[in-house]
Amino acid sequence: MLITHDTRCALDTVVDLVNTAPEDDAAPDALPDVATLEDFVRNHEISDVGVLSEFDLSAVRKIRGRFASVFAAPDARAAANLINDLVAAAGTTPQLTDHDGYDWHVHYFAPGASVADHLAADCGMALAFFVVAGEQERLRRCEAPDCRRAFVDLSRNRSRRYCDSRTCGNRLHVAAYRARRKEAAG
């Protein structure tokens, strides 16, 4: 599957956005205020969003939950329905553009769109490409029992199980090793 630079950036953005949500009721929201949203927008180089407000923060949190549902979708049809709703509500208007030193690429959001509509359109289309390619199962959640972070499995054989093999994967492998040693020492 060919993944363009823009699609990869949108995938990274949607994964990071979904992962800002609290994992449970006791956990803090990693997108607590407008200043943090501004940092998120700047760090992900999201263009043309203007001045952000509490309204934008609320709207972004709402689409974050809708994107989380895409990662939890049981099949391609369910994912497609969720993505279609997101993209349609954003008023998608594909346009070719070259800006900020980037060559020609497609923006899916309408000029002057809110940050939430911008994210819904561009990130929704990036996820749509995976459904179209029959690769919806690559939109995953970490299999570590104490982590449910979203990620996109871009491994060749679709075998990635953890959001980060150096943390979640390694922690589980070490725990399994210790359990085997303890059982062997018995």
Side-chain angles (χ1 to χ4, degrees):
M1 175 175 179
L2 175 67
I3 300 174
T4 65
H5 171 76
D6 299 334
T7 300
R8 181 59 194 256
C9 289
L11 290 171
D12 291 344
T13 299
V14 72
V15 165
D16 289 348
L17 178 62
V18 168
N19 289 334
T20 65
E23 292 189 26
D24 57 43
D25 292 335
D29 192 316
L31 204 56
D33 52 37
V34 174
T36 308
L37 178 59
E38 289 169 343
D39 289 342
F40 183 89
V41 165
R42 187 174 35 264
N43 292 338
H44 289 87
E45 299 180 0
I46 301 169
S47 60
D48 300 327
V49 295
V51 177
L52 301 176
S53 67
E54 288 292 330
F55 177 81
D56 292 307
L57 178 62
S58 176
V60 168
R61 285 179 176 163
K62 188 179 292 185
I63 64 154
R64 174 182 69 184
R66 295 177 73 190
F67 278 128
S69 297
V70 174
F71 281 84
D75 56 40
R77 182 163 308 282
N81 288 334
L82 293 164
I83 293 166
N84 284 340
D85 290 345
L86 269 163
V87 171
T92 305
T93 307
Q95 294 184 53
L96 284 170
T97 185
D98 64 339
H99 63 87
D100 299 329
Y102 293 105
D103 215 356
W104 289 106
H105 58 283
V106 179
H107 280 182
Y108 294 96
F109 57 93
S114 70
V115 66
D117 284 346
H118 180 128
L119 291 167
D122 274 357
C123 295
M125 289 304 299
L127 296 175
F129 296 142
F130 275 76
V131 174
V132 168
E135 301 284 353
Q136 180 260 335
E137 74 276 359
R138 289 182 182 268
L139 308 176
R140 298 193 175 160
R141 291 290 191 156
C142 184
E143 291 183 17
D146 59 341
C147 179
R148 295 299 298 153
R149 292 178 60 85
F151 69 94
V152 178
D153 179 4
L154 297 176
S155 66
R156 275 186 193 210
N157 61 359
R158 299 177 187 90
S159 62
R160 188 169 159 199
R161 297 173 51 206
Y162 307 110
C163 64
D164 186 346
S165 61
R166 290 170 294 169
T167 55
C168 289
N170 190 46
R171 189 175 63 248
L172 287 175
H173 288 99
V174 168
Y177 170 77
R178 288 181 180 158
R180 285 190 307 272
R181 287 198 50 163
K182 184 178 179 181
E183 186 177 308

